[in-house]
């Protein structure tokens, strides 16, 4: 195994040397008295997609990632995390392939009225699905308010470095109205959902329903806005109660210095409502087809006919009382860009002990040439539960990346990375089926990945 790792490391060094040579060539064409970003005033990918949308009359948006991933024998190629919502620091830690591709069209009916149709399929590690499929109608009320129905999500705020949408709803059939203007006091979204979806083949055993309200972009102070989100869940649950969720998010642009933005979020939920605003831990429903055998089967001359029947087994799941607080900053100041995170979350299931998750980490980028940047990401996480030893996991990644410019958020980004993760015995025992198998306490993985988004 060491020989294989040495070969992989050697190959990585050779490739890194080649990339460094390309970076040096770029540097030769870049003025030394100005940062590379100074020649780029906008995101080239967004500009290109806008041109395509304008030329075709269609709307395209989406996200994708994929590449080559290598890990020691028996070790996962990614996914090193203790399991908390904010604990998977994703740079060099994904090891998967994913694509979501949205396409839509709005039809002008005159008098400012438009109706639209939108569809977004997904492919994750070869398995296809549907994220969104809905219709919209705008202009009916003479303002920005838009009616919609179908399967749609509202992704309001994420923390990119841990691949988590911390404020969102959707992924289910529903209907609602978006962007109700509130006369200078922000805008309002209201939606109702069931737990059914295009991909939910087992139906909705709980008959669960949800209402979401999002009061967005409330002006609070110069460059500062507040968003308030709420959700209510009802259904027929064998364990736990219906539940609700409430969240507060404040976004401050130019926090302390120009180019630094801060996001503060506090959330609480209970029952079968999640912190982000979606359903939490609904019952599982499994349907199988088998023989209906008559009484006495096995005795002589009793088995004459056994028809096929469907059997549905519902496995009850518990709700939980949850709390989360986090603060995330992102910045782009000259050649330097990045994002940071500190967060704490508690989850107390209706039928189990409380789990407490802590996270602290960040990613930085630095432009070294016109199209080349260096990336570094560090994260430390903790998980503790009543009566159990505390788990710890630390992860670090270094990478060199190519993109249309060297801003932190610019995509597509082609990157070569090396990741080191280590954890304590409690984490190895708790994850014995994955990265902690055979008592493993650390892993080093390498990869080449491209990530892109467009809108």
């Amino acid at each position: 195994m060491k020989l294989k790792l040495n070969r992989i490391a050697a190959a990585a060094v050779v490739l890194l040397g080649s990339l460094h040579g390309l970076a040096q060539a770029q540097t030769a064409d870049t003025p030394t008295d100005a940062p590379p970003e100074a020649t780029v005033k906008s995101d080239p990918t967004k500009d290109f997609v806008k041109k395509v949308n304008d030329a075709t009359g269609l709307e395209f948006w989406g996200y994708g990632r994929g590449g080559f991933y290598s890990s020691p024998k028996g070790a996962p190629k990614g996914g090193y995390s203790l399991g908390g919502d904010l604990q998977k620091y994703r740079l060099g830690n994904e090891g998967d392939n994913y694509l979501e591709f949205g396409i839509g069209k709005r039809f002008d009916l005159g008098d400012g009225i438009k109706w639209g149709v939108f569809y977004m399929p997904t492919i994750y590690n070869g398995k296809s699905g549907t994220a969104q499929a809905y219709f919209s109608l705008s202009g009916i009320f003479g303002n920005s308010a838009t009616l919609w129905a179908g399967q749609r999500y509202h992704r309001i705020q994420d923390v990119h470095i841990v691949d988590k949408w911390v404020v969102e709803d959707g992924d289910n059939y529903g209907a609602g109205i978006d962007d109700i203007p509130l006369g200078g006091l922000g805008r309002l979204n209201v939606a109702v959902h069931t737990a059914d979806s295009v991909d939910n083949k087992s139906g909705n055993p709980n008959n669960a329903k949800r209402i979401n309200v999002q009061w967005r972009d409330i002006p609070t102070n110069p460059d500062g806005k507040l968003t308030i989100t709420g959700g209510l869940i009802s259904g027929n649950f064998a364990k736990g109660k219906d539940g609700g969720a409430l969240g507060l998010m404040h976004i401050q642009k130019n926090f302390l210095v120009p180019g630094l933005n801060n996001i503060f979020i506090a959330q609480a939920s209970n029952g079968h409502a999640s912190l982000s605003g979606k359903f939490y831990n609904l019952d599982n429903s499994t349907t199988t087809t088998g023989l209906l055998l008559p009484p006495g089967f096995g005795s002589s001359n009793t088995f004459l006919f056994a028809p096929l029947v469907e059997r549905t087994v519902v496995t009850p799941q518990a709700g939980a009382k949850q709390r989360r607080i986090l603060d995330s900053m992102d910045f782009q100041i000259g050649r330097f860009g990045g994002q940071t995170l500190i967060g704490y979350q508690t989850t107390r299931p209706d039928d189990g002990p409380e789990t407490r998750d802590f996270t602290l980490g960040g990613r930085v980028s630095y432009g070294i040439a016109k199209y080349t940047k260096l990336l570094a990401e560090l994260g430390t996480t903790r998980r503790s539960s009543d009566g159990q030893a505390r788990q710890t996991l630390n992860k670090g990644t270094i990478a060199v990346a190519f993109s249309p410019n060297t801003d932190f958020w610019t995509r597509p980004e082609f990157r070569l990375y090396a990741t080191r993760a280590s954890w304590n015995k409690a984490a190895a025992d708790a994850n014995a089926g994955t990265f902690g198998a055979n008592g493993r306490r650390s892993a080093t993985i390498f990869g080449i990945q491209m990530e892109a988004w467009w809108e």
Side-chain angles (χ1 to χ4, degrees), residues 180-187 219:
I180 304 172
L182 298 178
L185 296 177
R187 52 200 172 102

Side-chain angles (χ1 to χ4, degrees), residues 412-423:
E413 187 174 89
F414 180 93
R415 54 180 78 123
L416 168 70
Y417 67 81
T419 294
R420 176 71 174 177
S422 61
W423 50 92

Side-chain angles (χ1 to χ4, degrees), residues 102 183 214 252 285 306 309 318-319 373 445:
Q214 299 153 352
Q252 182 67 51
S285 177
V309 297
K373 51 188 167 182
I445 56 180

Side-chain angles (χ1 to χ4, degrees), residues 17 69 117 138 149 180 185 198 257 266 290 318 341 347 356 367 371 414 448:
Y69 309 109
V117 55
S138 61
I180 304 172
L185 296 177
V198 175
V257 295
L341 169 67
T347 303
R356 296 170 291 278
Y371 304 120
F414 180 93
I448 304 171

Side-chain angles (χ1 to χ4, degrees), residues 91-167:
L91 181 65
N93 191 28
E94 290 173 315
D96 57 8
N97 296 273
Y98 176 70
L99 172 68
E100 58 183 35
F101 192 95
I103 183 171
K105 172 68 176 177
R106 298 178 196 268
F107 300 91
D108 193 340
L109 304 182
D111 294 330
I113 298 174
K114 294 183 179 181
W115 77 277
V117 55
F118 305 90
Y119 177 59
M120 176 182 275
T122 64
I123 303 175
Y124 181 71
N125 285 341
K127 183 179 180 180
S128 61
T130 299
Q132 300 191 85
Y134 68 96
F135 303 94
S136 71
L137 183 63
S138 61
I140 293 294
F141 304 106
N143 54 35
S144 60
T146 299
L147 298 165
W148 66 269
Q151 180 173 319
R152 181 183 190 181
Y153 55 61
H154 294 83
R155 289 182 168 175
I156 297 175
Q157 186 61 54
D158 75 327
V159 180
H160 174 72
I161 58 174
V162 291
D163 194 17
K164 179 64 180 180
W165 288 91
V166 289
V167 184

Side-chain angles (χ1 to χ4, degrees), residues 29-31 34-42 370-371 404-405:
D29 296 330
T30 303
E37 298 85 280
T39 61
V40 181
K41 301 300 183 183
S42 61
K370 187 175 182 180
Y371 304 120
N405 66 50

